[in-house]
Amino acid sequence: MGAMLAGLISRLKTFWPMLVGIACARTALVVACYGSYTATDDGIFTDGAMLITCLIFAVSLLVLARTNRVLSDTAVQWMLVGSTVLAAAATAALALLDSTDPTLTGVAFALSVVSTLALSLCMFYWLRCLRGTDEVTAALFVFCAFIVSVAIVYPLGYLPPLVQNIIGTALVLAQLALVGPASLRDGLAASRAHRRARTFFTFARSHIQDGRFLVACAAGMGLLSFVDGFLRGYPDGLPIAFTAPTRLAYALSAIAVCALLAFLVVRRRERVMTVGIFVAMQVLAAGALVLFGAFPFHWEIGAVLVNTLNIVICAYCWYVIIAFTSFGRRDPYFYAMGGWVICFGARSVARMLLLGVYPLTGNDLLINSVLGALILLSAQVVLVQFLLAEHREGTTAAEKRDAQVEAELQQAEEQVARTQQALAEAEAALGAITRDAAEHEAARVAKAVAAVQEAAFEAVAAAQAQRCVRCTEGCSPEHPLPQNLRAAGGATAATSSHTGDSPSAGAPAAAKPIGMSPLTGSARATSSEAPAAPMISESLHERVRAMGEQFLLTDREVDVLTFYALGYTQKKVAEELSITPATAHSHIKRIYGKCGLHSRQEILEYLANYGS
C-alpha cells in the first residue's frame, strides 16, 4: 500500500500542471455552456453547440488525413494562447448577456459555439502534454481531472449565473499560468516503461494500424455515447432539472466511480480500461433506464446515473486519445478531434434526434427498447473486439516466445559448435605446448647430464691431483705404498711425467720437505704427532698461484685456496694452517668475493680450465 501511495504521489507531482489546466478548461466549459449541471444538457444550446464544433473537427480531419504533418511546440502554445483568449472573451460575453431576452438567443448560441470550440482546443493541448505516458498515469490523470472538475462545479451551481461566468472566465485565463510548469514536465511521464499487460495501451500499441480494431473501438464508444445522448434528454429531449439531493448524489456518484476506477488501475488490474470500464458504463446506462422506469415522474433520479455515465464516457474518451497520441504517427490534435467527433458528436446527434423523434411517436417503451438494444449491441461489439484483440495479442506473444526459443536454441547450437572448435584448438595447442615442453625438458636434462658428467670428470681430475700430491708416501723409502696402491701410484707418476709436472721426465715427482708451507716453502712448527702436510703437484701449484695473482689474493688466502681446492673442509683447512675455523671461513668468503665465485665446484672448474 505504501509503494502504491508513493507511486501515486510521484505521478501527481509529474502531471499536476496538466491536471489543473484541463480541469480548469472543462469546468469553464460546464459553467459557460452547461449551466454548472443544475440540469442535464439544454438541448440546442449545449449539444447543438457541441454538434457544430464536432462538424468543424470532422472537416478538419478530412483535410488533415492527407498529411502526416506534426505541429511544432511553438505553434501549439500559440494556439493555446489564442484559444484561451477567445474562450475567455466568449465566457465573459455570456456573463454579460441577458439570457431572458429572446432576441439574443442566436448571439448566445454563437457564443456557446465559440466557447465550446475554444475550450475543446484548450483541452486538446493538455491531453497532448500526456503523450508517451504509461497506461496507469493516463488513467490516473483523466479520472483525477474529472474528480477535481466535479468537486468545483458542484458548489458553483449554487451561485448566480453572473458569478459563475466570472469564475469561469478566471479559470480560462488561469491556464496561461500553467503553460510554463507544464512545459518543464513535458515528457517526464514518458520515462515510465509500458507494462506488457492486457490494457488498452497494449492493444493500441499493437493494433493501431488494424482497421477492424479501430472501427470496433469507434463503434463501441459511439453507440454508448448515442445512448448517453438519449438518456440525457429522456424521454422527450428536454433537460432534466436536478433537485438539491440529486445534485449532491450526482456529484458523489461521479467522484466515487472515478475514484474506484482509478484505484483499480493503480492496483494494476489489467482489464479495467478495456472490459471493466465498458461493463461499468453499460451498468450505469441500464441502471438509468431502470430508474427512469421505476420513477416515471422523477426523472432526476435516473439522471444521476446518466450524468455519471457521461463523466465516465468523457474520461474514457480522454484516455483513448492519450493512448492513440502515444503510439500514432499523426499529430495529437488529429486523434483528439477524432475522439471528440466519435464521442461527443454521437451524443449530440442522439440528443438532436430525440428532440425531433419523440414529438412524432411519444412512445417511451419504444425509446427504452431502442436504448436497451443499443446498450447490448455496444457491449457485443466492444467486448468481442477486445477478446479478439487479447487473443491475437496472446497468439502473437506465443509466436514471439516460440521464435525466441528457436533463436535461443540456434544460438546454443552455434555456441556448442564454437565451444567444440575451441576445445579442438585448445587440444592442438596443448599438444604443441606439451611437445615443446618435452623437447625443452629433454634438452635441459641432457645439458644437466653433461654438466654432471663434466663435474664428475673435474672431480676425478681433482682427486687424481690429490693422489699425486699424496703419492710421495709411496715414493719415499720410509713410507712405502701398500701393495694395492703401488699400481695407482705408478700410473700417477707416469701421468705426471707425461704432463710435465715432474722436474725431470721419467723420474718420481720431487716432494717438498714435510713441515714446509705447500706454496711458499716456509717452515711450519709441527709437533711429532702432527700429520705430515700434503704435497701439491707443480701444475696445481702454478694454477693456484696464478689465480692468486690474478685476483690479488694474499699469501694466506692462497694457502687457504690451495687446501680448499684439494677438497679439505674449512675445519681441516684451519687445522692444516693452524688457524681457527672462523678465520678459515673468513678467508674463504673473501676468496669468493674477490674471485666472483660461489662454490668449491666453481673454484675447481676455474682451476681445471685455467691455462688450458
Side-chain angles (χ1 to χ4, degrees):
M1 191 67 180
M4 184 180 69
L5 184 60
L8 177 65
I9 295 174
S10 174
R11 286 181 167 88
L12 288 175
K13 287 181 178 179
T14 300
F15 62 67
W16 72 264
M18 300 82 152
L19 174 65
V20 176
I22 200 168
C24 288
R26 194 259 174 184
T27 303
L29 179 61
V30 172
V31 169
C33 302
Y34 292 85
S36 299
Y37 278 143
T38 55
T40 57
D41 296 346
D42 189 13
I44 295 294
F45 186 76
T46 54
D47 284 309
M50 180 60 75
L51 181 60
I52 293 178
T53 300
C54 290
L55 288 175
I56 296 173
F57 288 156
V59 174
S60 301
L61 285 175
L62 293 177
V63 176
L64 294 176
R66 300 179 179 180
T67 179
N68 289 330
R69 182 180 178 183
V70 178
L71 297 175
S72 64
D73 292 340
T74 303
V76 170
Q77 290 182 356
W78 278 111
M79 187 181 299
L80 173 67
V81 172
S83 301
T84 302
V85 173
L86 190 62
T91 305
L94 285 171
L96 299 175
L97 193 67
D98 185 4
S99 59
T100 61
D101 188 353
T103 61
L104 299 177
T105 302
V107 177
F109 179 75
L111 291 175
S112 179
V113 171
V114 172
S115 180
T116 302
L117 177 62
L119 289 173
S120 296
L121 291 175
C122 290
M123 285 186 271
F124 291 174
Y125 174 82
W126 300 116
L127 291 175
R128 181 182 181 273
C129 292
L130 267 292
R131 67 191 184 280
T133 188
D134 63 285
E135 65 271 11
V136 176
T137 302
L140 190 63
F141 170 80
V142 297
F143 289 130
C144 288
F146 276 98
I147 290 173
V148 173
S149 178
V150 170
I152 297 174
V153 167
Y154 175 73
L156 289 179
Y158 291 97
L159 301 176
L162 178 61
V163 178
Q164 292 183 33
N165 286 320
I166 293 175
I167 294 176
T169 304
L171 291 175
V172 172
L173 296 176
Q175 297 179 90
L176 298 177
L178 298 169
V179 174
S183 62
L184 294 177
R185 289 167 174 79
D186 189 13
L188 292 181
S191 62
R192 301 176 184 271
H194 291 289
R195 194 168 58 94
R196 296 294 301 175
R198 292 181 287 272
T199 65
F200 190 90
F201 272 59
T202 303
F203 300 144
R205 180 171 57 249
S206 304
H207 305 287
I208 194 169
Q209 304 300 329
D210 187 352
R212 292 179 301 174
F213 178 76
L214 299 179
V215 169
C217 292
M221 290 182 60
L223 289 174
L224 278 176
S225 298
F226 196 84
V227 171
D228 182 42
F230 263 89
L231 293 175
R232 289 165 74 84
Y234 187 89
D236 52 5
L238 298 178
I240 303 172
F242 286 107
T243 61
T246 52
R247 286 177 64 187
L248 179 61
Y250 150 66
L252 295 178
S253 173
I255 292 174
V257 172
C258 289
L260 176 61
L261 292 174
F263 174 77
L264 293 177
V265 170
V266 173
R267 288 296 300 270
R268 299 290 184 174
R269 305 295 182 182
E270 296 180 351
R271 294 187 176 91
V272 173
M273 299 306 291
T274 53
V275 177
I277 195 168
F278 268 93
V279 170
M281 289 187 286
Q282 289 152 11
V283 168
L284 290 172
L289 281 177
V290 171
L291 291 178
F292 282 144
F295 303 96
F297 301 106
H298 298 280
W299 308 119
E300 70 275 7
I301 297 177
V304 171
L305 296 185
V306 171
N307 266 25
T308 303
L309 171 64
N310 181 68
I311 292 293
V312 177
I313 290 176
C314 293
Y316 190 70
C317 177
W318 291 3
Y319 177 82
V320 172
I321 289 172
I322 295 174
F324 280 86
T325 297
S326 301
F327 303 113
R329 295 194 300 265
R330 297 182 179 274
D331 190 86
Y333 278 69
F334 180 87
Y335 300 106
M337 288 187 290
W340 243 246
V341 170
I342 293 171
C343 182
F344 304 118
R347 186 188 71 184
S348 301
V349 168
R351 187 64 182 279
M352 296 299 100
L353 184 63
L354 182 60
L355 285 173
V357 171
Y358 187 80
L360 300 177
T361 62
N363 191 339
D364 296 348
L365 182 59
L366 175 61
I367 294 178
N368 285 348
S369 300
V370 171
L371 294 179
L374 291 176
I375 294 172
L376 179 62
L377 182 61
S378 66
Q380 294 300 319
V381 170
V382 174
L383 296 182
V384 169
Q385 184 59 38
F386 278 133
L387 291 176
L388 291 175
E390 183 175 333
H391 174 71
R392 289 195 296 269
E393 190 74 17
T395 302
T396 303
E399 292 175 353
K400 289 182 179 179
R401 286 195 299 270
D402 293 341
Q404 184 178 1
V405 170
E406 185 176 354
E408 290 177 354
L409 288 176
Q410 185 176 0
Q411 292 178 357
E413 292 176 356
E414 293 176 355
Q415 183 66 27
V416 170
R418 289 194 296 268
T419 303
Q420 291 178 347
Q421 182 179 359
L423 287 175
E425 293 175 356
E427 290 178 356
L430 182 60
I433 292 174
T434 303
R435 289 192 298 271
D436 293 343
E439 293 175 357
H440 178 72
E441 183 66 17
R444 190 182 68 80
V445 170
K447 184 176 180 180
V449 170
V452 170
Q453 291 176 346
E454 183 179 359
F457 175 77
E458 292 173 353
V460 170
Q464 186 178 15
Q466 185 176 0
R467 284 196 301 271
C468 290
V469 171
R470 296 178 180 275
C471 69
T472 55
E473 295 180 358
C475 297
S476 174
E478 293 84 3
H479 301 87
L481 277 174
Q483 186 68 28
N484 58 348
L485 295 179
R486 289 184 179 180
T492 303
T495 303
S496 301
S497 65
H498 286 297
T499 57
D501 289 339
S502 60
S504 61
K512 294 181 180 181
I514 297 175
M516 302 296 291
S517 173
L519 291 180
T520 61
S522 60
R524 178 166 58 95
T526 58
S527 64
S528 60
E529 293 84 4
M535 306 310 292
I536 302 174
S537 65
E538 189 66 23
S539 174
L540 181 60
H541 170 72
E542 291 295 331
R543 293 184 183 186
V544 171
R545 184 184 57 78
M547 186 174 175
E549 293 176 355
Q550 180 180 355
F551 294 109
L552 305 178
L553 301 180
T554 63
D555 291 342
R556 178 57 71 184
E557 288 172 350
V558 170
D559 293 341
V560 170
L561 177 60
T562 301
F563 287 108
Y564 197 62
L566 292 176
Y568 279 39
T569 63
Q570 295 183 18
K571 182 179 179 181
K572 188 66 175 176
V573 170
E575 293 177 354
E576 291 292 334
L577 298 177
S578 300
I579 59 178
T580 63
T583 303
H585 175 74
S586 299
H587 286 309
I588 294 172
K589 188 174 180 180
R590 283 194 294 272
I591 291 170
Y592 281 149
K594 292 180 179 180
C595 297
L597 303 177
H598 305 87
S599 67
R600 187 197 305 268
Q601 183 62 35
E602 290 184 4
I603 291 176
L604 292 176
E605 291 176 358
Y606 187 88
L607 290 173
N609 295 328
Y610 189 84
S612 59

